[in-house]
Amino acid sequence: MKAEIIGVGTELLLGQIANTNAQYLSEQLAEIGVNVYFHTVVGDNPKRLTDAIQQAETRADLLIFTGGLGPTKDDLTKEILAGHLNCGLDTDEDAWKKIKDYFKKTGRKMTANNEKQAHVIKGAKVLPNDQGMAPGMFLKKGTHFYMLLPGPPHEMKPMFRNYGRQAVMDQLEKVDRIESRVLRFFQIGEAEIAEKLSDIIDTQTNPTVAPLAGDGEVTIRLTARSNSKETAAALLDEVEKKIQKRVGEYFYGYEDTSLMAELLKELESRQLTIAAAESLTGGLFQSEMTSVVGVSTMLLGGIVCYSNDAKIKLCKVKPETLEHEGAVSEQCALELAENVRKELGADIGISFTGAAGPDSLEGHPAGTVWIGMSFKDGESKAVLVKLAGTRNGNRRRSVKMGCYYLLKELEKK
Amino acid sequence: MKAEIIGVGTELLLGQIANTNAQYLSEQLAEIGVNVYFHTVVGDNPKRLTDAIQQAETRADLLIFTGGLGPTKDDLTKEILAGHLNCGLDTDEDAWKKIKDYFKKTGRKMTANNEKQAHVIKGAKVLPNDQGMAPGMFLKKGTHFYMLLPGPPHEMKPMFRNYGRQAVMDQLEKVDRIESRVLRFFQIGEAEIAEKLSDIIDTQTNPTVAPLAGDGEVTIRLTARSNSKETAAALLDEVEKKIQKRVGEYFYGYEDTSLMAELLKELESRQLTIAAAESLTGGLFQSEMTSVVGVSTMLLGGIVCYSNDAKIKLCKVKPETLEHEGAVSEQCALELAENVRKELGADIGISFTGAAGPDSLEGHPAGTVWIGMSFKDGESKAVLVKLAGTRNGNRRRSVKMGCYYLLKELEKK
């Protein structure tokens, strides 16, 4: 099966946004063995959109559209495609109910064009939108398949992942089992991991081994093709074993996990509670923790002590400590971690204090960060990390480092 | 002049990278008044690349290629285009000297295919590559213009900015000034704003009026064409005035600003300090504030009181309040805002307490959020907002709502 991805929207042609949807879909389709030969981007223009559809039909079996499903007049993907295919439009009752419920719940005013969002092409399978209002569609007409997805990536991606991908796979005559596995590493660079695994990366063809760097982590994606799930899994196991033998000390988890998710798993399984005191991270550690459902049994809370005054008032750091050692110091990190733990009666206290940047702080260069950890058994510890990113890069990296070092400490207990 | 941007590279079709080059070039071309009607991405395949060229020639005057100028066998953009146009290739002496110098300087071994990088299409104007080895090209043949740019964005962007852009402008009969302005709105949906402005959106051709929704906000981009900057600005002023008259109450800022940035501007100009108490937002408000450089004179700090215990211990919320009114209540929001303000001696206290979701809390549906505000002059206030997003959508939206309502209150003072 050959696919073409058609991005619809004048905002793409004006350069207001990048077509990241095409990238995501290409990656997904490659995984299930569908070849993508072209991406096209076309504006909100009936004639040119029709031309793009006709063109794509000459060179692809599956046309995937992103964008143009919104409520306004310039959203016209489904209307144009329905016209081109000589199909009408129906109101999808589930989507329409969802839209009405939304306006009822938020008390906002619904306008006439909101109903347009619930329209779907007659005969299409509806792909639910769990993150927004516009439903997606999948249909076969003649020898072609058509899929319509919303433009906003946070709506499009879960829709494809949860519904669209399977709809495509159901149409593949012979699906080579494509199994992939992502291994996640921390505290090792991409160049170093690539060097350590160079012979494996160069000679492996099934599974393929693809390292990728991003946001302070390195992932390795293993992709195996086989006629059965079991054989594919065995192929993955075999190459993973080789990789773990060489760089396993940096490995921390599989697939979409994160250091924060691994830390929460660990806290949950040990039934431990945590409290945090954050200076340079300004609440980011706790905010990331709170983004996970069900964290309330673990995270008791904490303080944000961006100013020295807050360190003293909210977390009882000794004024002498700040005067003699400074805020960017081991002693300050230890007091913060210990005091916040005791104040909230938590099992673990963690603290972050340092220079986020761009400027140095108390003579310490930007990126100098102390992470303090305090445990109920009386042990406490502070780790110095030196980062070289932007202000917000350093803040994000500090949070990851905090999760990483805390996991390391918990392993020992 | 109509342009089509053709990205060449199988890595784009596999989703290994996003086509950010097309975004950059689209933005640049819009600025000089060149219309971009299509983006195309095609792989490193002679037949399909030739097809894409023929297709683009039917609908554009200027074809801009990115990618495929490298030294390896699968880099074939200039070879295919030269063949298609019946032109030969020449070695560009400047580029060839640069390549030889590089290998001499680094002591690395030059391979035969390195000379290929210095080849240019006969008769083309060479666009120097200040960041890499492959030169760019610009040529006219028949009624079409062709520009070839390297794929790596850090080479492509300076080449276009410094040489390519002027080469295109030299071919424009009359260069229009393109001026655009972005207006940002909050607390109004895309459908509602489109309805209120439908006649303006439909009838305006210069400036054009384009609404776009994203993450709880709506932006409107106005784009004017004129022969002078002043006339373009006057056209923008005129239509903005009409828009502000109808939906100005929802307007909060221009261009790339955010509600948080606007709030910080306001706090800075009034020399006010702030402290925060965050339950459902879990530190997100303070973390977003801390992401801005120089915030330390405004944000004193605050607490994260995800658990009721933390509300009592860290922010002295009365146990009776939690018992009788609950955590999701006006009274709790007021106590949190007032107590955190007093504790830190800040001018303003803000608090967030509610049900982030997905589950309801204390009988309140997910998305029920109280935002408390307390001011030094003794005034305090809590606002109830009802959100209908995901857990993290509700948390992000709460932060925006907090900024919004605080800005509203400050306006009155």
Side-chain angles (χ1 to χ4, degrees), chain B residues 173-207:
Chain B
E173 282 169 23
K174 167 180 147 290
V175 185
D176 270 347
R177 271 317 294 197
I178 305 285
E179 293 287 329
S180 71
R181 184 180 296 172
V182 175
L183 313 179
R184 306 188 84 92
F185 298 85
F186 191 65
Q187 289 286 64
I188 181 168
E190 189 189 10
E192 195 181 342
I193 218 166
E195 198 192 63
K196 289 199 165 148
L197 304 176
S198 65
D199 55 320
I200 301 181
I201 294 169
D202 291 350
T203 57
Q204 273 296 147
T205 53
N206 188 23

Side-chain angles (χ1 to χ4, degrees), chain A residues 16 55 73 290 300 302 304 307, chain B residues 202 221 300 302 304 307 391:
Chain A
Q16 290 169 8
Q55 167 72 18
K73 271 182 239 173
T290 322
L300 300 184
V304 176
S307 64
Chain B
D202 291 350
R221 179 182 285 261
L300 300 184
V304 176
S307 65
R391 176 181 181 83

Side-chain angles (χ1 to χ4, degrees), chain A residues 109-181:
Chain A
K109 194 173 155 279
M110 188 159 64
T111 57
N113 50 11
N114 281 113
E115 191 181 348
K116 174 168 133 44
Q117 274 198 292
H119 291 171
V120 295
I121 296 174
K122 269 188 187 149
K125 174 187 168 72
V126 174
L127 309 176
N129 188 340
D130 296 333
Q131 304 290 327
M133 296 204 197
M137 282 150 262
F138 184 63
L139 71 155
K140 185 177 186 188
K141 182 95 188 187
T143 53
H144 288 89
F145 295 96
Y146 305 84
M147 183 174 287
L148 292 86
L149 300 169
H154 75 278
E155 297 181 22
M156 188 283 291
K157 290 178 186 180
M159 185 186 287
F160 187 81
R161 195 164 53 234
N162 299 330
Y163 309 105
R165 187 178 151 121
Q166 191 57 50
V168 174
M169 284 175 77
D170 290 344
Q171 305 301 330
L172 298 175
E173 281 170 25
K174 163 183 149 294
V175 187
D176 253 358
R177 266 333 286 205
I178 306 281
E179 292 287 329
S180 69
R181 184 179 297 173

